[in-house]
Amino acid sequence: MAKKLVIKVTAGVDAPERCSQAFTVAAVAVASGVEVSMWLTGESAWFALPGRAAEFELPHAAPLPDLVDSILAGGTLTLCTQCAARRDIGEKDVIEGVRIAGAQVFVQEAMADGAQALVY
């Protein structure tokens, strides 16, 4: 089993099933004791803002705010620098615990020994 799971989610309300799958896998991995780094890119970038996860709805899926809370409690949640800039999102705008970092950090995490990267 990988020592670290790096998950990049590019989908948001535009592809709700793919989005929910990414958050669900990340939360389950955290609950299973796996080190998780989840990256919000593209349309998922909006979920770094307070209240946005609560607006997400998908029948028969775990509530997105609960999944976000689980990931923040035991993993790392990162908002892509360029995605944030394109949406005028700054560090003061995001949920407490969300960091903003760029591709260099993503590549470093994804290429680390024992890491497994998934992209949704």
Side-chain angles (χ1 to χ4, degrees):
M1 182 191 281
K3 295 177 189 171
K4 183 173 188 173
L5 186 58
V6 182
I7 300 173
K8 179 185 276 194
V9 57
T10 63
V13 295
D14 59 325
E17 287 185 297
R18 191 162 30 109
C19 176
S20 179
Q21 289 168 1
F23 280 93
T24 300
V25 167
V28 167
V30 166
S32 299
V34 176
E35 182 182 353
V36 173
S37 176
M38 184 164 193
W39 286 72
L40 304 176
T41 67
E43 285 303 300
S44 71
W46 295 114
F47 298 126
L49 297 175
R52 287 296 183 100
E55 297 171 5
F56 181 86
E57 293 184 18
L58 182 63
H60 309 290
L64 198 60
D66 294 348
L67 298 174
V68 169
D69 288 346
S70 295
I71 295 162
L72 284 170
T76 304
L77 192 58
T78 305
L79 172 59
C80 162
T81 301
Q82 289 182 15
C83 300
R86 280 191 284 276
R87 291 161 179 80
D88 294 321
I89 299 172
E91 288 186 18
K92 66 182 181 340
D93 301 317
V94 299
I95 299 167
E96 184 177 341
V98 172
R99 69 175 177 165
I100 298 176
Q104 179 182 4
V105 177
F106 176 81
V107 170
Q108 181 181 21
E109 288 184 4
M111 298 305 296
D113 287 340
Q116 172 68 52
L118 302 174
V119 178
Y120 287 87

